[in-house]
Amino acid sequence: MDDTVPARLRTERTLWCCTLRPDGSPHLTPVWFVHLAGAFWIGTAAHSVKVRNVRADPRVSLALPDGDAPVVAEGDAAVRTSGYPDEVVAAFDAKYGWDVRDPLGDGTPGALLEVGVRRWLMAGTA
């Protein structure tokens, strides 16, 4: 892994997340994320397409948006709708000023996708 990747995982604001629809086609969206203790955490609404897709098929691909120094990983996502780790809530607040427990700011139920990396496809080098 390139030496710049850990700092980018702490500071980059957007991650591209690809989940699989029931028909196998990709669903690609930009998301807010934090990377802690080797896992990606993605905040979203509990009713989102991402959550529905992950419940049916946990495989995801993740990428930082930089064509010159790509960071691309594959992993398996788990959906959490409660019991958010305090350090993850604090990390979202520090990075975005955002309460990940209330993703839309209106009481809509939230969800966290916890993604463990199975394989790095590219880690800062093309």
Side-chain angles (χ1 to χ4, degrees), residues 6 12 15 17 25 41 44 72 78 84:
E12 294 224 15
L15 179 75
C17 176
S25 63
W41 297 85
T44 188
V72 180
Y84 293 9

Side-chain angles (χ1 to χ4, degrees), residues 60-82:
V60 300
S61 293
L62 307 170
L64 291 178
D66 184 337
D68 293 326
V71 175
V72 180
E74 290 179 343
D76 296 302
V79 179
R80 288 191 185 208
T81 56
S82 64

